[in-house]
């Protein structure tokens, strides 16, 4: 165990933090810069509609009795909502800014996801350890959208860096799971 600011940090939390950090770097290094191409309209609609069940379930967990798992679930939901804001942002087209864009469905849904993510994160941090919350938040925010981006948005991995991307996803995921 290590001490930072005279506080004992358990090895499992130290490992989780380092694992998630290295996983994030690996995902970033292995990603090939691309724009979202040929996005399926059904995928767009499903991401816009997914806010409804995610919001209902998340808000019901928020209202539930604080137990050992509510903070973890809220952290995962927060990460998922933030990850989906990234996905939605990928297929919104801005040629120039105009206030008419603010009232379009993708922008409104983006705002709802963002607000839900902040609410879920705040509640998760009130119920659980910041390291556990953040490691789960980053896992959900990165792993799921990375996979969806490759499947539906035309995202690509740099040549010969698939092993690095896969290792990055694994590190982000095991970093989260090591804290439980």
């Amino acid at each position: 165990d290590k001490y930072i600011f005279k506080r004992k940090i358990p090895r499992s939390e130290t490992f989780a933090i380092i694992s998630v950090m290295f996983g994030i770097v690996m995902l970033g290094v292995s990603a090939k810069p691309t724009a979202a191409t040929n996005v399926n309209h059904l995928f767009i609609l499903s991401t816009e509609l997914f806010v409804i069940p995610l919001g209902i379930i998340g808000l019901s967990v928020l209202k539930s009795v604080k137990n050992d798992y509510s903070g973890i679930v809220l952290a995962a939901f927060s990460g998922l909502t933030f990850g989906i804001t990234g996905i939605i942002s990928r297929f919104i087209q801005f040629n120039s800014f105009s206030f008419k864009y603010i009232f379009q469905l993708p922008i409104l849904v983006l705002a709802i996801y963002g607000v839900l993510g902040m609410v879920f994160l705040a509640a998760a941090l009130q119920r659980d350890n910041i390291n556990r919350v953040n490691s789960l938040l980053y896992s959900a925010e990165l792993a799921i959208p990375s996979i969806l981006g490759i499947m539906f948005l035309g995202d690509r991995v740099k040549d010969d860096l698939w092993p690095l991307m896969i290792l990055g996803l694994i590190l982000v995921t095991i970093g989260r799971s090591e804290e439980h």
Side-chain angles (χ1 to χ4, degrees):
D1 294 344
K2 295 184 179 187
Y3 289 86
I4 297 178
F5 299 115
K6 298 181 181 180
R7 295 198 177 240
K8 187 177 181 180
I9 308 251
R11 285 187 183 137
S12 64
E13 289 186 23
T14 302
F15 175 79
I17 292 166
I18 292 169
S19 176
V20 169
M21 287 172 39
F22 276 108
I24 290 170
V25 169
M26 289 177 183
L27 288 173
V29 167
S30 64
K32 185 175 186 176
T34 58
T37 56
N38 299 326
V39 181
N40 182 305
H41 292 291
L42 187 57
F43 177 71
I44 292 172
L45 182 62
S46 65
T47 57
E48 291 171 344
L49 292 176
F50 186 63
V51 74
I52 296 168
L54 187 66
I56 290 170
I57 295 168
L59 291 172
S60 68
V61 170
L62 183 67
K63 292 170 79 173
S64 71
V65 177
K66 295 178 185 178
N67 61 36
D68 290 342
Y69 299 104
S70 65
I72 293 168
V73 170
L74 289 167
F77 278 25
S78 178
L80 191 56
T81 58
F82 290 142
I84 294 173
T85 62
I87 289 172
I88 291 173
S89 297
R90 293 286 310 280
F91 55 74
I92 293 174
Q93 299 294 316
F94 284 113
N95 296 331
S96 64
F97 181 76
S98 172
F99 284 105
K100 68 179 181 179
Y101 288 122
I102 293 173
F103 300 105
Q104 291 182 353
L105 182 61
I107 300 295
L108 294 173
V109 172
L110 182 69
I112 293 168
Y113 271 117
V115 169
L116 284 174
M118 297 292 279
V119 169
F120 295 158
L121 176 58
L125 289 169
Q126 292 173 8
R127 296 176 184 207
D128 208 333
N129 175 310
I130 190 168
N131 295 330
R132 284 169 41 116
V133 168
N134 281 333
S135 65
L136 189 56
L137 172 125
Y138 289 130
S139 296
E141 184 176 3
L142 294 170
I144 295 168
S146 293
I147 293 166
L148 292 175
I150 289 169
M151 292 172 59
F152 298 106
L153 299 177
D155 290 351
R156 298 290 169 249
V157 176
K158 289 179 184 171
D159 295 334
D160 301 325
L161 291 183
W162 276 98
L164 187 65
M165 190 273 305
I166 292 168
L167 181 59
L169 283 173
I170 291 169
L171 284 175
V172 165
T173 303
I174 65 169
R176 181 221 24 104
S177 65
E178 280 299 311
E179 297 222 29
H180 304 296

